[in-house]
Every structure is written in C-alpha cells, then in structure tokens.
Amino acid sequence: MHLKKIEKRLFGTNGVRGIAGTEMTPGLALKIGLALGTMRQGTIAVGRDTRTSGPALVSALKAGLLAAGCDVVDCGILPTPALQFLVRRHFDAGAVVTASHNPPEYNGIKVVEPDGTEMGDEESVALEKHIFEDTSRIVSWERTGRERSAPALVEEYVDAVVRAFPPCIGEGMPVVADPGCGAAAATTPEILNRLGCRVYSLNCQMDGTFPARPPEPSAQGLLPLADLVKTTGASFGVAHDGDADRAVFVDEKGHFIEENVEFGLIADHVCQGRKGVIVTPVSTSRIIEVIGKRNGCRVVYTPVGSIYVARTMISLAAQGIPVVFGGEGNGGLIFPGHQLCRDGGMTAATMVSLLAHKGESLSSLVNAMPHFALIKDKFREKDPQALVARLVDHYSGENLDLTDGIRINRGDSWALVRPSGTEPLVRVMVESESGERAEQFYKEIMSLIQR
Ligand code: MG
C-alpha cells in the first residue's frame, strides 16, 4: 500500500509552523480555531508547549473554537502525545500550540483527530479551504461554546504510560531526564520516578526562551546531559524535543545514540516474539530491516512524516495485519498497544524496561547493533520534482522505491533523493554496510544531480 503526499498551503509535515508574530500570528490561530470548530463539533481539547508566544496563540485558537460553537477544554502545558492520548479518551478533536523542535521564535499548531492521530492530508486541505475561502461559521450568541480548564488531566497520560509496564520495573535504576525546558518537564521525570528509577533532572524548569539548549535534542546540545550522566553514574540520559513526541538517549558513558540505532534497539525489545509489521519512512536506516528479520517482522515503508507512518499503521491493522511497531529515525517512535502517535514519554519508559530485561549496559547493547555508514546532505533546487523524474529515468533498470522521491536499493546499499516538504530543498541520504561503498554511491548520485 502506498500513501501519497498531498500538497498543502499552510500545513507542513506536522501542522502549521512559522515565526511567531510574523507568520504564526494570533490572527491565523483564530482562523484555524474557527475552521476546526466548523469541521468538528463537540468538545475540543487544547494544549501547548512552553513557548512564550503560546498563551497569545492558545487564546486566539480558543476564541475561534468557541465562536464556531465548540466547547473547549484547556489542558495547559503538556507534551503533544499527552494531548493526543487525552483526545482519544475524552474529546471530539484537539489542537496543540507547539513548534516541536524549532527554535524559540517559532510556533505552530498541530491538529489532533478524535482517534488521537495528527490530522491527515485530505482533512488538512479541507481545513485550509475554510481559511482561504472564508467559509468558517460563527454561531449565534446562544450557541457559543463554553470553556473549562483542566490542567490535571495530564496525569491520566502519565498513569497510562506507567501502567504499561510491570510495577517498579526500574527499581533503583539511576537515570537523567532532560526535557530542555519544554513540555515534558511535566511528565517524563514523573513517569521515570513512578517506574522506580532514581531520577536526576536537568533543564526541568519550564521556560519558553529555551535558555539551556535548543528544543532540537542534538548531540551538541546534550553535552551537559552527557556530563551529568557520567557524574551521577546513571544508566542512561533521555532528552526530548520541545513537545516531547520524540526522545533521544545518551548511554552510561555519555555517548549520544544515533536515532536509527535507538529505533533498532527499541524495535528489538518491542518486537521480540511478536511476528508482524514495522512501519517506517523510506528515510530510515536498514538497521530496522535487519532487526525486523531477526524477530520475524517485515518492514513497510511510507513517505517521510509521522502522520504517514501512523495512518499506514491504522490501515494495515484494519486489514487484520499485526502491526507491532512504528517510527522514524529521529527518535519519534510509535507503540501501537499504547497509542498511534509518536510518544517521547513512552519511549523513555520503554528504555527502562529494555535495560531491566537485558541486564546489560546500554553502551554494550549499542555496540552489538548492526552498523551502517550513513551520509546525509541537502542542497537548493528550483525544480525538485523534475530532478527526481530525471533520476527515475536514469535508474529505471534498478530496484526503485518511489514512495517519497526516489530510493534506489542496491545490494547492501540504498540512496534516497527526496524533495523537502517545506522548502525548495532536496535531501540526499546514502547508506551502506561499507563506508567506501556509501561514499562511491553518494559521489555517483551527486555527479548526476550536478550534470
Ligand atoms: Mg516534536
């Protein structure tokens, strides 16, 4: 099955995103609220991450929803997966004001469907149509919605993550949590604590200026986390992006774990003894295929973007196919028994369970993983589609996957050339078992591109 991407005007891969005050304005948030309130009736949950522009945008979003006749429940500051969990359990839709991993000046809105998944392409296009054609409704005074505040609801999410594991599975395990001053400050230390871990917290003060490190949890920004892991003798350190749908790790030696390796490690734990399907975008390392095969699971590829992974998981499950795991090679992992969206808190908790089961250090588990050489590059291109078409023509005799851009599968190597979803950029990825073959393949593709 192949989900195809649909071109949108406001919505990118994960909702609407832009610089607060110029691109992402309260005016736009109001229009999104009105449009969502026109499309979805009932009670809508809203929440936000810690960004300083959040309160103004949430207020505007709520104004739109209320004026369109929806009731609103404001859940306050919480991770995106926490709101998604609450929507599926209690509400008719939801919206989170967040710019995820983007720098502090950005903000955005992710719209959540009743099943807790992010809004898909067709519905996003319908929502945009209401905005551009000014067809949203404003109800009469006696039908205006009512607002209620429910900041404690987030505890239901923490509870659900903790209850997914045996009691005190992390008993005495020292761990460091670094939410980076983002939304997970409200959840991840609490989750780890309730799993029995001895939790050290870093950057757990909520602060939308992100003074300690950028919301993107990169190896560079996590050096203080790595230091604290070493000085406390922790078993691992976990860090999140601004809205905590992603989690990344450093091992007990303070080494950053590449996110595809993280995906492989956790897939190996989750898939053990459970035959079925792992769903992931075409940009993910072959590590997942190797780990999948080891566990009797096969990999289904999707376009790049977590909504395509989630929607494919739903559609496969609806066909009766056992879907065991899903995720992206950026620390965004989906545990279908819990909920069908990326969940950073669940990922952190699963790492505790993994280490408790294996009884080995995280660094030795990482060393035992298959290793591939990966080259990533990007460049500006006026007509990315034409470039991809030219490559499809050139490589027509090879094993191609055209799910998103062009992926050329060649023995133990693959290369992906893919137009960016948001900018006039083309992204190139090449992976091979040997660094030399990766380099050769990369040069071959770049010389074709530059011709
Ligand atoms: Mg995020």
Side-chain angles (χ1 to χ4, degrees):
M1 64 156 300
H2 281 304
L3 267 176
K4 277 286 176 194
K5 286 186 168 177
I6 299 175
E7 213 54 56
K8 290 157 287 179
R9 291 163 76 182
L10 285 170
F11 280 71
T13 313
N14 295 107
V16 182
R17 201 80 61 88
I19 293 178
T22 56
E23 296 159 336
M24 187 64 234
T25 60
L28 178 56
L30 174 72
K31 286 180 185 167
I32 292 171
L34 280 170
L36 177 60
T38 301
M39 288 171 67
R40 302 274 180 271
Q41 272 106 61
T43 306
I44 317 288
V46 301
R48 65 177 177 96
D49 66 16
T50 57
R51 285 162 203 275
T52 54
S53 56
L57 293 171
V58 164
S59 301
L61 177 71
K62 288 192 292 192
L65 289 165
L66 294 164
C70 292
D71 290 333
V72 171
V73 173
D74 190 336
C75 301
I77 296 177
L78 76 177
T80 296
L83 190 94
Q84 291 177 290
F85 179 84
L86 293 174
V87 167
R88 189 173 54 119
R89 194 174 256 199
H90 299 293
F91 302 108
D92 299 301
V96 201
V97 172
T98 176
S100 188
H101 60 277
N102 288 132
E105 63 271 26
Y106 282 78
N107 216 332
I109 296 177
K110 290 181 181 179
V111 178
V112 180
E113 293 284 23
D115 65 359
T117 59
E118 277 180 62
M119 186 173 258
D121 283 352
E122 280 90 357
E123 294 298 294
S124 298
V125 168
L127 194 146
E128 288 182 344
K129 200 160 175 261
H130 278 301
I131 293 173
F132 288 114
E133 296 179 6
D134 202 13
T135 48
S136 298
R137 63 157 185 217
I138 295 181
V139 298
S140 59
W141 68 272
E142 73 276 27
R143 291 175 51 221
T144 302
R146 274 186 265 188
E147 184 189 349
R148 164 165 85 82
S149 161
L153 264 186
V154 66
E155 280 160 30
E156 285 191 20
Y157 162 78
V158 170
D159 228 49
V161 174
V162 171
R163 282 168 196 269
F165 300 91
C168 292
I169 190 163
E171 193 68 66
M173 188 187 292
V175 300
V176 186
D178 175 2
C181 303
T187 50
T188 293
E190 172 72 7
I191 288 168
L192 296 171
N193 197 24
R194 284 185 49 195
L195 290 173
C197 298
R198 189 143 44 84
V199 185
Y200 298 90
S201 297
L202 180 66
N203 306 322
C204 272
Q205 74 283 24
M206 289 188 181
D207 187 336
T209 65
F210 299 99
R213 64 164 175 86
E216 170 72 41
S218 66
Q220 184 60 32
L222 301 185
L223 292 176
L225 172 65
D227 283 342
L228 191 57
V229 165
K230 284 186 283 181
T231 52
T232 55
S235 301
F236 68 85
V238 59
H240 297 291
D241 66 328
D243 68 333
D245 48 7
R246 289 160 50 198
V248 301
F249 296 91
V250 297
D251 68 20
E252 81 286 358
K253 293 178 175 164
H255 295 138
F256 182 81
I257 301 174
E258 200 277 324
E259 293 93 330
N260 285 285
V261 175
E262 168 197 337
F263 188 179
L265 265 174
I266 295 186
D268 199 28
H269 181 60
V270 172
C271 299
Q272 219 150 64
R274 302 174 58 206
K275 284 189 175 38
V277 168
I278 305 171
V279 181
T280 194
V282 283
S283 53
T284 299
S285 166
R286 260 193 65 220
I287 289 174
I288 304 307
E289 277 188 28
V290 175
I291 295 297
K293 199 173 277 177
R294 199 184 278 174
N295 289 285
C297 291
R298 75 185 166 89
V299 175
V300 170
Y301 287 107
T302 71
V304 176
S306 63
I307 56 164
Y308 304 107
V309 179
R311 296 252 168 259
T312 302
M313 290 172 84
I314 291 169
S315 128
L316 290 170
Q319 295 164 48
I321 296 167
V323 179
V324 180
F325 198 39
E328 303 174 301
N330 62 4
L333 304 181
I334 303 175
F335 302 81
H338 169 58
Q339 61 173 344
L340 283 161
C341 63
R342 296 178 296 180
D343 194 324
M346 188 66 185
T347 305
T350 305
M351 182 58 86
V352 174
S353 156
L354 185 160
L355 290 178
H357 272 97
K358 302 266 183 188
E360 270 180 73
S361 71
L362 184 49
S363 66
S364 64
L365 293 170
V366 168
N367 281 335
M369 290 292 289
H371 279 276
F372 294 97
L374 181 65
I375 300 172
K376 288 185 187 182
D377 199 1
K378 60 184 173 189
F379 56 87
R380 296 215 153 259
E381 168 68 41
K382 262 193 241 135
D383 193 349
Q385 302 299 344
L387 171 69
V388 169
R390 189 153 64 81
L391 291 176
V392 170
D393 201 39
H394 180 88
Y395 285 112
S396 58
E398 300 211 35
N399 175 1
L400 301 185
D401 182 333
L402 304 180
T403 303
D404 192 350
I406 172 174
R407 175 162 157 153
I408 308 139
N409 297 305
R410 185 188 285 173
D412 72 355
S413 310
W414 60 270
L416 176 71
V417 180
R418 178 179 78 81
S420 154
T422 47
E423 301 163 277
L425 277 180
V426 170
R427 295 182 191 278
V428 180
M429 289 177 80
V430 182
E431 189 185 62
S432 177
E433 271 175 32
S434 109
E436 207 177 309
R437 280 197 297 280
E439 188 65 33
Q440 264 172 11
F441 202 172
Y442 168 72
K443 281 187 182 152
E444 170 193 322
I445 285 178
M446 289 313 281
S447 74
L448 267 171
I449 286 171
Q450 279 148 10
R451 198 180 288 162

